Amino acid sequence: MFKKVSLIALSWLAILAIPSQSLAETVIERVARTGTLTVGARVDLVPYSYVNDKEELTGYSMDLIELIREQLEKDLGKKVKLNIVVDDEIGDRIQSVINGEIDIVCDTIFTWQRDKFVDFSLAYTVSGIKLLVKKESNLSSPESFKGKRIGIVKNSLRQEAIKVIESQVTIVNLNSLEEGLKAVADGKIDGFAFDGTILEGMRQTLANPDAYKVVPNESYFRHGIACMVPENDSTFLNLVNYTIAKMMDGYLTGDSRYVEMINRYFGKDGIVTIQPDVIRNFFEMMIITREQIPPKEISAE
């Protein structure tokens, strides 16, 4: 496992790393040399990155990684394989990207603080902070938070994000998503704050999913989900952004591969249902300032 460091410590690490970064090979150069793209991933983020019933690592983010791998193969003219590094700690993942130990990490919430150390791709979905609570809970409106115990995973979001909603809450720091789910089940906390899409996906994996709910309908705070790549590596960032834009354009123009990919996770029979208009509006908003990718290039494999 990689050494854990705080984001404050990473600031010194980033400063010290600047001289060597300018001389280091780019991700695309490294992939061209080794034939391998090293990916940081988690195995518990339904529907982004998780292990299915067949013991396969799958999910929306992993499907996107596969598209990026294919684009690398096309651009380099050689086979590219994936090396998956499982790492749950956000500080470890950022440090690994800075050190060049990992080339890309997706399913990551964009924050301005994290953006100081790594570069972020286009957001490929948008979500926000919600609460997992027991079904009988009345937590939902900001006023209902007063005097409640709200759990958050350390370093996943700022405590101020909850205290802005209602200042008179007790923040309970937790070590993992699993610990948050268990704390709600055991009554140790009144609600668990996390990414709403992930909470809904994880709720469905619980032994008794109907005993819980994710509230409210509209997120308290919105954020984009994107990929982290090494800072100042524009060639690789361009390739990642192009791949994401091609996926979005493909969905909007009705290309079957991309429509099926999105529907697998967010369609009416997907893991977390999102209205098609919401998906289309988000994709259109993300790519409206970019050059449209020709349909023949989208469907070319």
Side-chain angles (χ1 to χ4, degrees):
M1 293 299 293
F2 304 117
K3 183 179 178 182
K4 299 177 182 178
V5 296
S6 68
L7 287 177
I8 294 175
L10 279 171
S11 63
W12 289 102
L13 192 66
I15 292 171
L16 293 173
I18 288 173
S20 61
Q21 283 179 343
S22 61
L23 300 176
E25 64 183 348
T26 66
V27 170
I28 291 180
E29 289 171 341
R30 182 160 55 248
V31 174
R33 175 173 59 83
T34 65
T36 300
L37 178 70
T38 301
V39 179
R42 293 185 60 171
V43 297
D44 59 353
L45 293 183
V46 182
Y48 295 113
S49 178
Y50 62 98
V51 176
N52 63 16
D53 294 338
K54 299 179 181 179
E55 298 299 315
E56 300 167 330
L57 184 58
T58 188
Y60 181 40
S61 297
M62 298 312 300
D63 282 6
L64 175 59
I65 288 292
E66 174 61 20
L67 296 178
I68 293 169
R69 185 196 67 80
E70 292 176 6
Q71 190 64 45
L72 279 166
E73 284 192 341
K74 180 180 178 181
D75 288 4
L76 295 174
K78 64 179 294 184
K79 291 292 183 182
V80 174
K81 64 180 181 180
L82 298 177
N83 174 33
I84 305 297
V85 177
V86 177
D87 197 350
D88 293 341
E89 292 289 339
I90 184 64
D92 292 348
R93 300 168 97 191
I94 294 175
Q95 182 182 348
S96 299
V97 173
I98 292 173
N99 292 345
E101 297 165 334
I102 289 177
D103 299 319
I104 185 170
V105 177
C106 296
D107 56 66
T108 303
I109 295 172
F110 173 91
T111 71
W112 292 112
Q113 180 69 10
R114 293 170 184 172
D115 194 44
K116 295 178 181 179
F117 311 108
V118 295
D119 281 337
F120 279 85
S121 71
L122 290 171
Y124 55 93
T125 187
V126 66
S127 189
I129 302 303
K130 293 189 178 184
L131 289 180
L132 177 77
V133 298
K134 290 185 176 180
K135 187 175 182 180
E136 63 272 15
S137 172
N138 64 355
L139 279 182
S140 180
S141 66
E143 294 78 14
S144 67
F145 277 62
K146 187 173 182 179
K148 301 299 184 181
R149 299 160 298 167
I150 305 300
I152 65 172
V153 176
K154 289 184 292 187
N155 297 325
S156 66
L157 67 148
R158 296 179 180 177
Q159 294 188 8
E160 291 81 359
I162 296 299
K163 291 198 173 184
V164 164
I165 301 172
E166 171 52 66
S167 60
Q168 299 181 51
V169 298
T170 299
I171 298 295
V172 179
N173 284 301
L174 304 165
N175 294 313
S176 67
L177 177 59
E178 291 76 17
E179 187 177 341
L181 299 177
K182 188 174 188 303
V184 173
D186 293 344
K188 293 181 178 180
I189 57 177
D190 299 296
F192 176 48
F194 204 75
D195 177 278
T197 302
I198 294 172
L199 284 179
E200 177 55 32
M202 295 302 295
R203 183 191 68 81
Q204 296 180 36
T205 69
L206 298 175
N208 186 13
D210 292 338
Y212 305 90
K213 60 184 178 180
V214 177
V215 296
N217 291 330
E218 293 294 328
S219 301
Y220 297 117
F221 297 92
R222 291 208 172 271
H223 52 242
I225 304 294
C227 300
M228 296 190 299
V229 300
E231 199 162 36
N232 302 320
D233 189 342
S234 62
T235 53
F236 184 53
L237 180 59
N238 289 344
L239 182 144
V240 172
N241 282 339
Y242 177 81
T243 304
I244 293 172
K246 186 164 71 169
M247 175 194 73
M248 292 178 176
D249 261 329
Y251 178 84
L252 293 172
T253 57
D255 184 277
S256 60
R257 180 182 189 186
Y258 300 104
V259 171
E260 290 171 4
M261 172 181 164
I262 301 302
N263 287 343
R264 188 177 309 132
Y265 304 105
F266 305 111
K268 65 178 182 178
D269 297 319
I271 297 174
V272 178
T273 302
I274 298 177
Q275 292 300 316
D277 285 349
V278 173
I279 297 174
R280 292 185 64 87
N281 290 340
F282 173 68
F283 283 1
E284 288 172 350
M285 178 185 68
M286 290 303 300
I287 64 176
I288 193 170
T289 60
R290 311 270 172 156
E291 178 187 19
Q292 184 176 1
I293 299 174
K296 64 179 182 179
E297 192 169 336
I298 291 173
S299 58
E301 302 297 338

